[in-house]
Amino acid sequence: MKILVAGASGVIGRVLIPMLVQKGHEVIGLIRNPEHAESLMKAGASFVLADVYDRKNLFSVLAETSPEIVIHQLTSLQAMDPSANARIRVEGTRNLVDASLAAGVRRMISQSITMTYAPGEGPATEDCPLDFEALEPQLTSVNGVHALEKTTAEMLEYVILRYGVLYGEGTWYDSNGFFAEQVRLGNLPANDGVTSFVHTEDAAFAAVLALEWPTGTYNIVDSDPAAGTEWVPVYAKSLNAPEPKRMPGSMRGERGALNAKALRNGWSPRFASWREGFPKTLH
């Protein structure tokens, strides 16, 4: 199949592109920075330069490339600014869906997140509501996710992948990432809030499988949602960092999620738990 990956240079895109090429697909990476072109070509993909906020150009690019499927892995996380990430989910997704529909694209696979479910008992399933009663800045993220998912659902066929907290190369939880630095400084307390993790390779693998999945929404998380009192000490130990402080309580969005639907559809993550993934991938 001919597949365009928007966000091809991101932490998932970099892993996803070689997987798609290996499966025999014709892959086009949509990038904004030409510096990423060489790595795409080395992986066996072609590339197009476009900014998702340049609506006119995006329509031209989709019309020229005419992909069968668009994989939306666009994020704006570098500055840790919820409003920037919400903008790409709202405005970027709007432009990408409109351009895809105009170009006759039949299916879109979009990256969403699990950290916007409303509070409730136990980890969330895909049927649980989003947290529209959250306060800022969490509400900005919730509204961004809602817009992304609602807009994606305008496609004839679509799959929404609600990823858990990503760890792996290039993420905030990588050995050189923001949270690794925080835990080394003793600034990442172990609280009672529940987190669901997923390694970037497993997240990318889900996107490959989603090429054939029935239209719908899927939680892409490992099988071990856990409180911070469990995972933060293991994370710290994997980084040879000091034992973290304990802090009672939790924050909104710290509920965790369940992955039964994805497992039923053939997803089998390399790391079924962060307990295995942290020690094997962090240094």
Side-chain angles (χ1 to χ4, degrees):
M1 288 183 285
K2 192 175 187 180
I3 302 169
L4 183 140
V5 178
S9 63
V11 295
I12 294 177
R14 294 196 297 266
V15 183
L16 174 60
I17 297 286
M19 289 183 179
L20 293 170
V21 171
Q22 189 176 27
K23 292 288 186 180
H25 299 295
E26 180 184 351
V27 183
I28 307 158
L30 188 149
I31 53 175
R32 185 172 59 178
N33 188 339
E35 292 179 2
H36 298 299
E38 185 177 356
S39 61
L40 283 172
M41 291 187 291
K42 284 182 178 178
S46 60
F47 71 94
V48 288
L49 294 174
D51 187 325
V52 291
Y53 298 126
D54 186 340
R55 186 175 169 89
K56 182 178 179 180
N57 184 47
L58 194 62
F59 270 70
S60 296
V61 165
L62 267 292
E64 291 169 9
T65 56
S66 190
E68 299 168 72
I69 297 177
V70 170
I71 301 181
H72 173 359
Q73 297 282 358
L74 293 163
T75 57
S76 181
L77 299 170
Q78 294 85 353
M80 301 188 78
D81 178 2
S83 61
N85 211 30
R87 184 192 175 203
I88 207 165
R89 286 173 174 153
V90 176
E91 187 178 337
T93 304
R94 178 75 273 162
N95 292 341
L96 190 61
V97 166
D98 287 349
S100 296
L101 289 171
V105 176
R106 67 176 179 85
R107 170 175 287 239
M108 181 174 289
I109 299 163
S110 290
Q111 176 189 147
S112 187
I113 56 174
T114 59
M115 293 76 77
T116 53
Y117 282 115
E121 185 175 349
T125 66
E126 292 85 353
D127 296 328
C128 293
L130 299 183
D131 189 9
F132 294 109
E133 295 183 3
L135 300 177
E136 294 293 1
Q138 175 74 351
L139 183 59
T140 292
S141 296
V142 174
N143 288 335
V145 162
H146 176 63
L148 177 148
E149 296 186 355
K150 184 177 179 181
T151 305
T152 296
E154 296 175 16
M155 299 292 298
L156 179 64
E157 299 176 16
Y158 67 90
V159 174
I160 293 165
L161 302 176
R162 288 178 176 166
Y163 292 136
V165 173
L166 295 170
Y167 69 101
E169 185 177 352
T171 68
W172 289 343
Y173 287 85
D174 194 3
S175 56
N176 295 317
F178 173 80
F179 285 106
E181 181 65 17
Q182 293 306 301
V183 79
R184 291 187 183 106
L185 294 172
N187 294 335
L188 184 64
N191 70 357
D192 300 313
V194 176
T195 297
S196 283
F197 286 95
V198 64
H199 191 272
T200 50
E201 291 181 11
D202 291 325
F205 180 49
V208 175
L209 294 180
L211 297 173
E212 306 293 341
W213 279 355
T215 286
T217 301
Y218 300 79
N219 288 337
I220 304 301
V221 295
D222 72 18
S223 300
D224 193 7
T229 50
E230 292 183 72
W231 71 260
V232 178
V234 176
Y235 180 60
K237 185 177 180 180
S238 299
L239 292 165
N240 295 314
E243 180 77 13
K245 301 173 184 177
R246 302 295 177 109
M247 180 181 292
S250 63
M251 299 175 65
R252 292 185 86 99
E254 293 183 328
R255 179 179 177 181
L258 299 175
N259 63 9
K261 185 177 180 181
L263 295 181
R264 287 196 303 270
N265 280 272
W267 184 59
S268 180
R270 174 188 172 197
F271 296 117
S273 171
W274 49 270
R275 298 176 202 270
E276 176 189 8
F278 285 171
K280 288 190 176 181
T281 61
L282 296 171
H283 306 286

